Each structure stands twice: as C-alpha cells, then as structure tokens.
C-alpha cells in the first residue's frame, strides 16, 4: 500500500484587520508560515484529536479575517481525503489524490475567519 502524505503542508496566509487609524497602526501582518506535516504512518504533534474516521488538525490565528492554505507536497492514497472547513464546519471542501487540479502543489480555497479545521480521513484509521 502506498504511503499517503501531505508534506510541508501549510503556508497559512493570515490577513489581520484593525480599526485603529493608519498613522497609529503597527505594520499589518499579511502572511505567516505554519509548518504541518500529515503522514498516514506517523502521528503529528499538531493533531488535535482522533475522529471516528481519521484525525483532526486545527490552525488558528486570533484576529485573522481568513486563512489560505498552501500545500507543498499533497499526495493521498486512493480512498483517503482531507476535509477543510471553518471552525463551525461550514465552508467545507474535500481534497483527494494530488489535490486541486491533481497538481500536488497548490493554493487551496481560503477559509473565512481565524480558524481552519483539517480532517484527514484515511482507510488506515478505520476499523
């Protein structure tokens, strides 16, 4: 069985909003690197919890208006998938295989708000 991996997974682009006047405002943060590797054969320190169908990961940056994910090496085994959503489970989309346009490296659809949930659903974790 081929090992599934999403390596160097996320470059989280975070746009922070502020109501302070521009002259009194600190520089605006527009991007932040958040390294996360998900591998079907290894547990990750970023894993939040095990779900009935896989593993859940949370990326959160308080105050962010959105989070955009960049996948550097996306390669899932047949039948595995990554479900991306906002904190409430809305804005939900599913990635499979080599991801968007079968590219393996791509920017995914952004998630509005300051939290993105990634649920890695794999046959390995199922009974």
């Amino acid at each position: 069985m081929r090992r599934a991996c999403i390596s160097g997974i996320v470059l989280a682009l975070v746009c922070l909003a502020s109501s302070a006047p521009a002259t009194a405002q600190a520089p605006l943060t527009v991007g932040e690197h958040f390294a996360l590797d998900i591998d079907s054969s290894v547990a990750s320190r970023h894993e939040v919890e095990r779900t009935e169908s896989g593993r859940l990961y949370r990326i959160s940056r308080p105050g962010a208006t959105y989070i955009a994910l960049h996948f550097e090496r996306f390669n899932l085994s047949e039948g595995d998938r990554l479900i991306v959503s906002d904190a409430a489970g809305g804005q939900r989309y599913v990635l499979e295989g080599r991801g968007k346009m079968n590219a393996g490296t791509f920017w995914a659809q952004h998630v509005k708000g300051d939290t993105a949930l990634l649920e890695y659903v794999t046959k390995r974790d199922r009974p």
Side-chain angles (χ1 to χ4, degrees):
M1 175 184 278
R2 183 179 71 164
R3 187 177 110 191
C5 72
I6 306 168
S7 184
I9 182 179
V10 179
L11 176 65
L13 181 65
V14 182
C15 181
L16 301 174
S18 174
S19 58
T23 56
Q25 195 174 20
L28 183 66
T29 301
V30 294
E32 180 179 345
H33 187 260
F34 184 92
L36 172 63
D37 290 332
I38 297 175
D39 188 314
S40 62
S41 63
V42 179
S44 167
R45 63 185 171 93
H46 296 291
E47 186 176 310
V48 175
E49 67 184 72
R50 292 254 177 186
T51 65
E52 203 170 285
S53 57
R55 304 173 197 161
L56 183 67
Y57 303 83
R58 177 185 314 269
I59 297 173
S60 185
R61 293 295 179 259
T65 56
Y66 71 93
I67 297 177
L69 307 175
H70 180 265
F71 297 93
E72 294 176 1
R73 282 189 310 269
F74 194 97
N75 187 22
L76 297 181
S77 295
E78 187 175 331
D80 289 0
R81 60 191 183 279
L82 184 72
I83 302 167
V84 180
S85 70
D86 62 13
Q91 300 180 291
R92 183 179 187 273
Y93 59 94
V94 179
L95 298 167
E96 298 175 311
R98 292 184 44 78
K100 187 176 174 182
M101 296 173 42
N102 205 31
T105 299
F106 59 94
W107 281 96
Q109 176 181 333
H110 75 278
V111 174
K112 292 179 184 175
D114 65 1
T115 301
L117 299 178
L118 292 81
E119 184 179 8
Y120 174 49
V121 179
T122 177
K123 295 180 289 188
R124 289 178 186 253
D125 289 343
R126 294 182 211 146

